[in-house]
Amino acid sequence: MQTDHEHGAAPAPPPRGRRGRRTVLVASALVVVAAVAVVGALGLGGGGAEAGSSAPPRSGSTVPVTRATLTERTTVDGQLGYGTEIPLPIKSTGTVTWLPTEGRTVERGGTLLRVDDRPVVLLYGTLPMYRDLGLTAGTGQGTRQDAGNAGNQDAGNAGTKGDAQGTGDQGLTDDTSKAPAPSGSPTPGGTGAAGTGSTLRGMDVLQFESNLAALGYTGFTIDEEFTDATARAVKRWQKSLGFPQTGTVGVGDVVYSAGKVRIGHAGVRLGSAVTEDVLTYTGTSRKVVVNASAAEDSWAVRGAAVTIGLPDGKSVKGEVASVGKKATDPEEGGGEGGSGAPTVPVTITIKDQKSVGRLESAPVTVEYVGRERADVLTVPVAALVALAEGGHGLETADGRFVAVRTGLFADGRVEVSGSAVREGMKVRIPE
């Protein structure tokens, strides 16, 4: 039996209409799926974003909406060091015969330099040395402090104010007639047994006596009067320094500072005459100076806490100590085209000096708190999606999109709010 093929008849073609309909249906399905995905991503369709239109769930992790405090932090550049060097107010005149090494620390009672081979001593205080301190010249031997008891003052007999301390300094006599007269004007005193005299008074006397006592030279009342007892203590101090034991402190013998100092650079060489810039100093504590933008220095408030980033990657705590009141124009050639914003110097102190290690000078970063929002709803910034109608939204775990208002951005999170957002709500982070 022969088949149609053997007779040369062509096989019947498949129905064209059925294949064409299948191709059209498959293509239409792909278009619909793509359209749904786009509509879901853009927050379109149905009742809009607030109504929360459904869309097929997509891949991606979900996170909860959490309540937290967001803090905006900003980092600026700073310089670690000891601060600006200041000239020491040396009032001695003569030839510089000894200078300390740069970086040396000098404490109370220490020698800053030597002039004509005579030490200039550091003491603590805020009032500068402006006159000689000593017993004023009078007629005869007595002063108000030892009137009537000049014969027993070395025995510590408390008869008057000057001898109430009972110093008992045998072997040291007060020859006030040989003491150099101070440059300041004395206040008239009382009448002594051997004649009239006067007593030097003032806050500078109180400041000096406080230092003298702190160095261990006592036997007098710490007050505003320079007495015979004070002069005896001065002589003991002068003897330890190799000074002539006059009982009078010259205006150039002492320099006051608020505390111990770190020696800076010398402005003269050995053998030169003393000048105003003979020696500079700084404090002994390391600090950071930031040239902050004058337009963005609201963070720089005295007492504000900051974090200092050191070159080795460690961080230490700092505190704003002072803010300059005068804005400085940027140096010529700095910034783009030689222009830039005016800056103010901000000084930051470091309480824990050991945390800085051995660093004495280095570029550092300073991180400060700009803005802060407490107890607000937050999500990761990556959870935000842009809505077609404008603004931002969040995609819920079941594929709905809800509109939100954004607030502060900080630390990779963003403040969100809206009628459809609540704490604990799960939202999707798109891949």
Side-chain angles (χ1 to χ4, degrees), residues 87-223:
L88 279 165
I90 305 297
K91 296 185 181 298
S92 294
T93 58
T95 301
V96 177
T97 53
W98 179 83
L99 287 168
T101 57
E102 185 173 352
R104 177 179 178 178
T105 297
V106 181
E107 300 182 357
R108 174 166 31 206
T111 299
L112 294 167
L113 75 163
R114 296 181 75 92
V115 179
D116 291 344
D117 203 29
R118 182 184 179 98
V120 177
V121 180
L122 176 70
L123 297 180
Y124 296 169
T126 57
L127 187 64
M129 190 75 171
Y130 65 92
R131 61 176 176 174
D132 295 344
L133 299 179
L135 294 172
T136 59
T139 302
Q141 182 179 347
T143 64
R144 186 176 65 85
Q145 282 69 34
D146 59 357
N149 67 338
N152 60 5
Q153 62 180 1
D154 287 338
N157 181 22
T160 63
K161 180 175 182 180
D163 291 325
Q165 296 77 23
T167 59
D169 291 334
Q170 284 81 10
L172 290 176
T173 59
D174 296 321
D175 188 358
T176 57
S177 63
K178 297 180 181 180
S183 59
S185 299
T187 301
T191 303
T196 61
S198 56
T199 301
L200 194 68
R201 295 184 177 90
M203 290 301 296
D204 56 337
V205 175
L206 174 63
Q207 179 174 268
F208 174 76
E209 288 185 341
S210 298
N211 279 272
L212 200 59
L215 292 173
Y217 301 94
T218 57
F220 55 89
T221 299
I222 302 175
D223 54 16

Side-chain angles (χ1 to χ4, degrees), residues 42-58:
L42 296 177
L44 301 174
E50 290 293 342
S53 60
S54 296
R58 301 200 308 276

